[in-house]
Amino acid sequence: MPSLHMSGQKIDRNAPCWCGSGKKYKNCHEEFDEKLRAYALKGFYVPDRSLIKTEGRSKGSGRAL
């Protein structure tokens, strides 16, 4: 069964992950997305996915934030 993307689109478990890691979705962010979905269904605020660090966004100047 395909998992639910936070925007409502279904993502196939064997499709490449949305984060750009090159891994299959089921081996990368599926569990994380399901936890976020559960929190959202309980009424908690779930931030937009754009706030999540991806491999390409995590490489910086090497300085601690």
Side-chain angles (χ1 to χ4, degrees):
M1 178 168 117
S3 296
L4 215 54
H5 188 285
M6 294 311 289
S7 68
Q9 299 172 339
K10 293 186 178 185
I11 300 176
D12 182 56
R13 295 182 73 229
N14 290 313
C17 189
W18 55 262
C19 73
S21 68
K23 296 179 183 179
K24 289 183 180 182
Y25 176 65
K26 68 182 178 184
N27 295 323
C28 195
H29 274 94
E30 181 181 36
E31 185 177 340
F32 179 77
D33 284 348
E34 291 302 321
K35 285 181 183 179
L36 288 181
R37 183 174 177 269
Y39 280 117
L41 290 173
K42 289 179 182 178
F44 288 95
Y45 169 72
V46 177
D48 185 75
R49 199 175 258 149
S50 65
L51 296 175
I52 301 169
K53 271 190 168 178
T54 61
E55 189 174 333
R57 295 174 70 195
S58 64
K59 294 180 182 173
S61 64
R63 295 185 351 209
L65 297 177

